[in-house]
Amino acid sequence: MHLDELPDSVRPGDGPMDLNAVREVSRAVSAAHLFIYLAPESAQEAAKLGVTDRGPAYLAFRSAAMGAVPWQVTLAAFYNFSPRAVRAMADVWDAAPPEQWQAARFLAAGRAMRRVRVHLTDDQLSEARSLIDPVLAGADYAGKVLAAANASVALPADPLLALWQQITVAREWRGDAHLVVLADNGLGPCDCLVLHTTTGRLPTALARATRQWDDEEWTAATARLAARGWLDSNATVTDAGSAARERIEVETDEHCAALWAPIGAAGARRLASLIAPITDAFTAAGTFPAVLSA
């Protein structure tokens, strides 16, 4: 769909993009994408490819769109994982080539959405695509490695799965942009993860288990944040730390404003509402608390 074919109610205006709308659609996109890492179907499809370790399977599924890159490239693209965590994926392309991992990821996503009964009508699917497609078609992918890789993946024939892949591209675009902001704020891979957990955005136990920073590295990152006044002597986030974390999110929103500008604030909010049933279905199925509380 061309921009001049958008409904009047969602056509962008001439003013700056509303950052609240950017945050709203970004959260909706991230939430609608998240289930792929938590649903049992992903582990089942990985096992069919001969990989039963959850860490390497996650890394293979998420990096498959980039092709058979060395684990060091995945480390660079993922940012907040430790080298020891990502090195564990060194043999995944021997188990199966990236094309099979990508196909398995689609199989897992489709099976999971059917299991929890995600339902969008044909009209809703069509409208959602009419909004997200021009956003991604006009996006600047310079420096957006994971977004660009996912944008190169052929869309599945299934309309719901195709929409989910477009959601994936948008999710990774913001993620790629966020890494630029983190680096610009001098937050290294372990530092940003410690700040992320102390502000309550990710359980510490889950972060430590999946990213695999050791005690010495975690302690050093904590000390660096304390030296900046962002954590106190008890490794609790300070007001300055909370403000810094929110500023980083705002800077990411500002970076993403150009991405969503083609459909404006109304279009962004409409897209967020259209894809909400994906998140709602997995939430109702208990997908998120069951894993995040583990």
Side-chain angles (χ1 to χ4, degrees), residues 13-38:
D14 296 328
M17 184 67 188
D18 182 349
L19 292 186
N20 289 324
V22 172
R23 183 75 64 91
E24 184 177 332
V25 72
S26 297
R27 285 175 171 168
V29 161
S30 180
H33 170 78
L34 180 63
F35 75 84
I36 194 62
Y37 307 118
L38 311 175

Side-chain angles (χ1 to χ4, degrees), residues 134-161:
V135 165
L136 301 180
D140 180 359
Y141 290 95
K144 309 298 188 297
V145 176
L146 284 173
N150 275 280
S152 74
V153 173
L155 294 179
D158 179 89
L160 179 58
L161 204 52

Side-chain angles (χ1 to χ4, degrees), residues 97-246:
E99 295 79 7
Q100 287 188 32
W101 281 100
Q102 184 64 58
R105 192 186 206 204
F106 282 149
L107 283 172
R111 288 178 54 212
M113 287 192 285
R114 288 191 296 273
R115 172 175 56 83
V116 303
R117 298 181 181 179
V118 172
H119 178 68
L120 277 76
T121 66
D122 290 344
D123 287 345
Q124 289 171 324
L125 286 167
S126 178
E127 185 181 358
R129 287 291 301 276
S130 77
L131 292 168
I132 199 168
D133 285 2
V135 165
L136 301 180
D140 180 359
Y141 290 95
K144 309 298 188 297
V145 176
L146 284 173
N150 275 280
S152 74
V153 173
L155 294 179
D158 179 89
L160 179 58
L161 204 52
L163 172 61
W164 180 79
Q165 178 58 18
Q166 294 291 73
I167 289 169
T168 295
V169 177
R171 186 267 175 214
E172 297 292 20
W173 202 100
R174 182 182 176 88
D176 290 334
H178 191 58
L179 304 190
V180 174
V181 176
L182 290 173
D184 190 52
N185 280 270
L187 274 175
C190 189
D191 301 54
C192 73
L193 193 62
V194 172
L195 185 61
H196 200 56
T197 60
T198 57
T199 51
R201 298 167 188 259
L202 182 68
T204 300
L206 179 62
R208 295 290 304 272
T210 55
R211 275 61 170 178
Q212 295 185 29
W213 297 102
D214 64 25
D215 290 343
E216 182 178 352
E217 293 161 337
W218 195 267
T219 299
T222 301
R224 288 191 292 271
L225 293 172
R228 299 177 75 162
W230 293 1
L231 299 181
D232 63 20
S233 59
N234 295 315
T236 301
V237 68
T238 63
D239 290 343
S242 294
R245 187 65 181 78
E246 177 57 21

